[in-house]
Amino acid sequence: MPVVATNTAANTATRFLNYNTNMASSSVGKLASGSRIVRASDDAAGLAIAARLNSDVVALQQASINASQGASMVQVADGGLNRIGDVLQRMKALAAASLSGVPTDNERAFIDAEYQELINEIDGIAATTRFNGDSLLDGTGTGSAEFFVGTDADDTIDVDFSALASVTNFTSATMTLTADVTTAANAETAMGQIDTAIDVISEARANAGAFISRFEFRGQQIATSTENIQAAESAISDVDLAAEQAKLVSSQVLVQASVSALSQANQIPQSLLRVLQ
């Protein structure tokens, strides 16, 4: 029915023009941001999942740093244990020299002077093996550390430096290095103590190496998880450039068509007025 009071055709054309304009604007926003989800209304469920995945990625990135720091901390302790082992090897050589029938007790006293200084050096190494100001080997520090290496609060690796071996710390007193080498009999006793201490250090280094290996493997696992989660998040939220560009071109064509249709619709009432002339 031809009327002039209500331009239904223009209203319809305007509605489609607004719709097509909004679609074009949405495509431009997605292409500019690189994200398929610019507003929550684009994909509410996808937005929630992507946000959770992003939070996991952030946690894993910090966890990777934590794993690296954990390995570094244990490596510092292992370095100190290695130096103590070297000292013990020298002490064993001195004890062996004292056990020889060649030196007299007077000369053994000279050997013992170095032996006693090396005992003090073991204590010095244990006291100065520190990480971030915390002593690791002499029992005066915290003695343990907990490293967060995952996405859940329970994803931790706990390192207890007082439990690396059968002793709680690696001072000369704890490892019972109390003998001297001033006599052959004392040197024989010292040899047994040194062998026991070497076994303790070897046990501690083996356990330290196990922790380092664990931290390294966890770091690799974190890197793999981060890569896979980022790929999953990308599949949810990243825009398909080719598809979205095609939608933009289509929307732009429809906008132009809507503008043309609206222009023609606005001319219909004027055409109807000619009936009254």
Side-chain angles (χ1 to χ4, degrees):
M1 177 178 66
V3 297
V4 294
T6 303
N7 193 341
T8 304
N11 291 340
T12 302
T14 299
R15 176 166 60 84
F16 279 108
L17 175 60
N18 291 336
Y19 174 79
N20 293 328
T21 300
N22 289 335
M23 292 297 293
S25 297
S26 176
S27 293
V28 169
K30 292 176 181 179
L31 289 171
S33 66
S35 175
R36 185 179 65 86
I37 307 173
V38 178
R39 299 170 298 180
S41 59
D42 292 334
D43 186 351
L47 177 63
I49 296 172
R52 178 59 185 271
L53 292 177
N54 272 326
S55 68
D56 286 345
V57 168
V58 172
L60 286 173
Q61 288 172 341
Q62 183 59 50
S64 178
I65 296 173
N66 295 348
S68 177
Q69 291 176 338
S72 297
M73 187 175 188
V74 181
Q75 284 170 346
V76 169
D78 180 59
L81 291 169
N82 182 39
R83 298 309 304 162
I84 291 175
D86 291 341
V87 172
L88 289 171
Q89 296 293 339
R90 175 57 182 167
M91 289 172 64
K92 188 169 183 177
L94 293 174
S98 182
L99 277 171
S100 172
V102 175
T104 64
D105 286 350
N106 187 45
E107 292 166 335
R108 288 188 178 98
F110 301 147
I111 297 174
D112 185 63
E114 181 181 354
Y115 187 88
Q116 296 303 321
E117 288 301 321
L118 291 179
I119 290 178
N120 292 333
E121 181 57 19
I122 287 176
D123 294 334
I125 293 173
T128 56
T129 301
R130 303 185 182 96
F131 187 87
N132 196 29
D134 190 21
S135 294
L136 304 179
L137 302 180
D138 67 349
T140 61
T142 57
S144 62
E146 182 179 276
F147 297 90
F148 176 78
V149 287
T151 58
D152 188 83
D154 294 330
D155 296 336
T156 61
I157 295 178
D158 301 329
V159 181
D160 187 353
F161 293 99
S162 64
L164 289 178
S166 56
V167 297
T168 57
N169 61 68
F170 302 94
T171 61
S172 60
T174 303
M175 292 191 292
T176 323
L177 294 170
T178 57
D180 58 60
V181 293
T182 55
T183 66
N186 290 350
E188 185 175 352
T189 300
M191 185 72 75
Q193 293 178 351
I194 293 169
D195 286 339
T196 300
I198 289 174
D199 290 341
V200 168
I201 295 300
S202 297
E203 178 188 2
R205 292 200 66 194
N207 288 328
F211 274 115
I212 294 171
S213 179
R214 184 180 179 187
F215 277 118
E216 289 175 347
F217 277 107
R218 183 60 63 91
Q220 294 169 6
Q221 186 270 330
I222 289 172
T224 300
S225 295
T226 301
E227 178 183 349
N228 291 334
I229 292 175
Q230 285 178 326
E233 192 275 335
S234 173
I236 293 172
S237 61
D238 286 355
V239 66
D240 184 333
L241 293 176
E244 201 60 44
Q245 179 63 28
K247 287 176 61 177
L248 175 60
V249 172
S250 177
S251 296
Q252 290 174 333
V253 170
L254 291 173
V255 167
Q256 294 173 0
S258 298
V259 170
S260 178
L262 179 59
S263 176
Q264 294 179 16
N266 287 331
Q267 295 177 7
I268 292 175
Q270 298 177 0
S271 299
L272 291 175
L273 289 177
R274 296 173 183 171
V275 177
L276 301 177
Q277 296 177 354

